[in-house]
Every structure is written in C-alpha cells, then in structure tokens.
Amino acid sequence: MKPLTEQEIRTAFVNCTKGEAKRLSVPRDLAEQCWDDLDFLGWRDPRAPDRAHLVTELDGRPVGVQLRSSGVGSWQMRRSMCSVCVTTHTGGVSLMVAPRSGKAGQQGNSVGIYMCSDLACSLYVRGKKDAGIGARLHESLTLEEKAQRTVANLAAFIAKVTA
C-alpha cells in the first residue's frame, strides 16, 4: 500500500459525511507505519473503542470505511475466523458493521463482516503478528496469493458498502 497523508485518509471515506470524516481520529503514527506490509490501514478510535476505520487502495485511489464493532459477548471466547485474512482467533474476531453509503446508509441500512478485532489482517497474513497456535491454517498458497485474497475479500466487502 502506498503511504497516505491525513488529508487523503479523511477524503477517502465513502460511508460517512464530510463532517464526520473531518472529526474522526486518524492515527498519529502515519509516518512510522510499515506501508509495504499493509494491504489496508485499519485502526480503532481511542475515544470510542466500538468505532473502527479502515482505508485501502481500490482502482488506484484510497477508499475508507467507517465501522462499528459488536459488543463483547460470551460467543467471542470461541475460536472464530476472520473473513478477510482467514486467520482464526480465540476472542480476536469481531462483527464489524458498516453503514452503507448514500441514501441506503441514511435510511439505516448496513452490512457486516467478521474481521480481526485489531484490524491487523495484513500482519497476520505476512507472519508479522502471531494470533497463537493454530491461527493460520496450512495452505499451499504463496504469501502473494494470500495477500491478494485478503485484498479481494476486503474489496468485496467495500463493494457491498457502496452498492
């Protein structure tokens, strides 16, 4: 992923108003991000832990999505699989819900996906972060193919948000 500026991030969001995008908390460590290892930039809002954001590059331009995570429940202590990076976690996967863009979102319509709670899918795929024993299933795919699958899964979710 190419490095993004705070302004590029704020203008990338497709499912919130310009005012909401202007007010959201952007990571302060953008310059320190290891952009080469990221398929998308994902972060939680430190002021509102149930809010998350992600920005990825689709068709050569940044696209951002505002998310809300589900509340903590007993089901989260079961082993679950992220639908984006196919990593399994015990208690580390959350239902992330995004308001749809446009009129559908204004009417309260949303779409959801089960995703790594810490939004570190890119790092799990590349082995830069460990989710514990049995977190990564043995696959014959190359690292590049796993990264492409992660990007494709995320792009499919974003297509549902913008449809």
Side-chain angles (χ1 to χ4, degrees):
M1 182 173 184
K2 77 173 187 76
L4 297 172
T5 64
E6 181 177 338
Q7 185 58 34
E8 288 173 314
I9 291 170
R10 290 188 187 284
T11 58
F13 282 87
V14 296
N15 67 339
C16 64
T17 66
K18 289 181 183 179
E20 289 171 324
K22 187 177 179 180
R23 290 186 301 272
L24 66 85
S25 296
V26 175
R28 298 286 173 225
D29 62 347
L30 290 177
E32 291 85 44
Q33 292 289 330
C34 191
W35 294 96
D36 291 337
D37 291 334
L38 297 179
D39 301 308
F40 65 91
L41 176 66
W43 72 98
R44 293 246 181 202
D45 186 335
R47 295 176 292 176
D50 65 329
R51 286 192 203 152
H53 313 281
L54 66 85
V55 178
T56 191
E57 193 173 312
L58 295 176
D59 299 325
R61 66 180 184 86
V63 177
V65 177
Q66 186 173 339
L67 305 161
R68 288 204 184 265
S69 63
S70 59
V72 177
S74 61
W75 65 269
Q76 287 183 309
M77 295 317 295
R78 287 190 232 151
R79 196 158 196 71
S80 302
M81 182 180 285
C82 173
S83 298
V84 175
C85 68
V86 193
T87 299
T88 58
H89 300 269
T90 300
V93 174
S94 297
L95 175 61
M96 300 285 188
V97 179
R100 295 195 54 207
S101 61
K103 192 170 195 117
Q106 292 169 356
Q107 294 173 344
N109 295 327
S110 60
V111 293
I113 190 168
Y114 285 98
M115 194 169 182
C116 295
S117 299
D118 60 3
L119 303 168
C121 297
S122 302
L123 302 179
Y124 291 120
V125 166
R126 288 167 176 76
K128 307 271 181 176
K129 194 166 184 179
D130 184 21
I133 297 172
R136 295 293 310 164
L137 302 173
H138 177 71
E139 298 180 285
S140 60
L141 298 176
T142 65
L143 177 60
E144 184 177 313
E145 290 170 329
K146 290 176 188 177
Q148 288 173 349
R149 177 182 59 198
T150 299
V151 170
N153 290 342
L154 186 60
F157 174 67
I158 292 173
K160 291 177 185 175
V161 172
T162 58

